[in-house]
Amino acid sequence: MREADNDEIDLRCPQIVADNAAMGLRLRGIFGRGGTEVAVARATELKNRDKLSPSTIQRMVSYFARHEADKKGRNFGSEENPSAGYIAWLLWGGDEGRSWALELRQKIGNAPD
């Protein structure tokens, strides 16, 4: 793992990312849709602010790249009747999760777990 200015890189998400994941879990529980079991596991890790592996960060970056188009779907962003894509997006940390994962990916490069 590369280190910026010899500082240790924190692989725990910011609180806002944890909050987004928790909201995704809550909405999934209410509406019974959105995300796979992998997304639920990721949301649980994010909600708990667990230390993630570099490969998990890469999977987050990949998820957001594949699902950017979901943001154009009907009811994306609605909490009253959220789309499955919106719930899944939140499970992975939402917009802040995407930004955090991209930034972290730049710092860690291709570091092994």
Side-chain angles (χ1 to χ4, degrees), residues 1 10 22 29 31 36-37 46 49-50 58-59 63 82 87 89 92 106:
M1 182 181 310
D10 189 358
F31 294 98
T36 63
E37 292 307 313
L46 292 170
R49 298 193 67 222
D50 293 342
Q58 181 56 48
R59 284 192 295 277
Y63 167 82
I87 293 171
W89 190 265
W92 286 85
Q106 289 294 323

Side-chain angles (χ1 to χ4, degrees), residues 53-110:
S53 68
S55 64
T56 297
I57 299 302
Q58 181 56 48
R59 284 192 295 277
M60 288 180 69
V61 169
S62 296
Y63 167 82
F64 287 116
R66 286 191 316 272
H67 292 275
E68 184 72 27
D70 292 352
K71 294 181 82 172
K72 296 177 184 170
R74 185 175 184 188
N75 291 337
F76 190 95
S78 168
E79 290 184 37
E80 291 77 33
N81 184 25
S83 66
Y86 179 58
I87 293 171
W89 190 265
L90 289 172
L91 292 172
W92 286 85
D95 289 344
E96 292 84 0
R98 180 182 179 273
S99 296
W100 173 72
L102 286 168
E103 180 182 317
L104 201 52
R105 176 67 170 85
Q106 289 294 323
K107 291 179 183 177
I108 62 177
N110 292 321

